[in-house]
Amino acid sequence: MGDMELLLPGEADVLVRGLRSLQLRDVGSRGWNQQHENLEKLNMQAILDATAGQGEPIQELLVTHGKIPTLVEELIAVEMWKQKVFPVLCKLEDFKPQNTFPIYMVLHHEASIINLLETVFFHKEACESAEDTVLDLVDYCHRKLTLLVAQGGRGAPPEEESQHSTPMQELQKQAELMEFEIALKALSVLRYITDCVDSLSLSTLSRMLSTHNLPCLLVELLEHSPWSRQEGGKLQQFESGRWQTVTPSEQQKLSKLDGQVWIALYNLLLSPEARARYCLTSFAKGQLLKPSWLALPHTGLPWTPLQLRAFLTDTLLDQLPSLADLQAFLAHLALTEAQPPKKDLVLEQIPEIWERLERENKGKWQAIAKHQLRQVFSPSEQDLRLQAHRWSKIYRLDVLEAVAPERPRCASCNAEASKRCSRCQNEWYCCRECQVKHWEMHGKACVLAAQGDRAK
């Protein structure tokens, strides 16, 4: 473990061993919450270890105990809950939550798992340890990236907060922003999977190249670049959970997310295993070579009609020299004939987690929602105080500051902050005026967190 430890080695081993797949009906229950807390501890410790650069024992434990498939199943289960149960729950006549914290924890569960997977999938051993569930993970990433492309140039939802929003409206805004960030994490996970094309099964390669045609989807992502936008004549990029203005001197620097797309595209088009499986039909060739309205951040022009090859500038090749091979591949592709679609009969595996969960719970969505409304999402004040006390022990301030990628931001105006709420120690502000302005929104959570502290 690194210099700062949230978990001792023995504790991490116990938590990893205890990970298990839970039923959709159990979402939000006491046992589910305990596992969510354990996953959050493992997630933060994995980030601390990766930041310290002194080995990554959480990844090793997950691989050793065969728990990567469990994480994938839990990830897809909470995704299904959000799509199938949550909308039904919101329409129930008795659903009038006074506190949305328990629901937020369920929505946040997906973000915690995909963040942990992003951290551990940097190592090829994690991808190999996923075994057959890598098919399910590929499908999951494809769903998230398709949503990113569908958003077009809208990018992340706006960050502005309204003082007149209801708790559920505020939760919906947080959920939309969280969904955008989850999709960006899924992009990184997919890129790490493409790093392992030499060890992926034929079924997985076929799923990526034939069923989903991921190279064409990645080209669409480069075209739309949903993590970049022009705002007030200035280029902004979405990093560390918010939009940040890119200075003119930094505009030619390759962003992390653009880099992930280029590397994934390189892996899927140029690795020997993928090239042997990918059929460059007239459609695929057209998508890879089509003239498109592409954004060129460093030119100051919002949109310019270009081919994908035009993005492979000398500046980009200096930062990712291996893309010179991709440039040569595209030039050669333009001169070759398209291939006819392959009609090979191949016995392939298919992802089974989503279909199995849907089959097991078909016709039960309303019953699950009603059960969870009674048992989970109508907590008493005492239950909320106990939960706040449990989370205050997990989210230690020293750990959060070590995990945070940058200095804290004001909860009201988003400027750099140096003052913290003295009562709950959770929110940051740049000045007294912003704290007073934000109190209407922050007050209830602040009192609840302070009560949790006094309960220690």
Side-chain angles (χ1 to χ4, degrees), residues 276-345:
R277 297 286 300 172
Y278 189 42
C279 184
L280 287 163
T281 62
S282 56
F283 173 79
K285 180 179 176 181
Q287 289 295 105
L288 295 173
L289 298 176
K290 68 177 180 180
S292 305
W293 289 87
L294 299 176
L296 284 178
H298 61 276
T299 66
L301 301 175
W303 299 97
T304 305
L306 292 167
Q307 287 189 350
L308 180 63
R309 285 180 291 172
F311 253 50
L312 294 165
T313 62
D314 292 340
T315 302
L316 177 58
L317 295 179
D318 286 342
Q319 296 174 75
L320 278 177
S322 60
L323 293 184
D325 294 333
L326 180 59
Q327 185 181 49
F329 169 82
L330 293 173
H332 177 72
L333 179 63
L335 302 175
T336 58
E337 293 292 330
Q339 301 172 0
K342 293 181 179 179
K343 298 182 180 180
D344 298 339
L345 294 176

Side-chain angles (χ1 to χ4, degrees), residues 22 50 53 86 118 153 216 264 322 328 410 447:
L22 299 172
F86 187 46
E118 181 195 29
C216 291
S322 60
C410 177
V447 172

Side-chain angles (χ1 to χ4, degrees), residues 360-375:
E360 291 173 353
N361 296 281
K362 186 177 181 180
K364 302 177 182 177
W365 309 119
Q366 188 166 26
I368 292 173
K370 288 182 177 180
H371 167 77
Q372 293 175 344
L373 175 60
R374 293 192 306 269
Q375 302 296 326

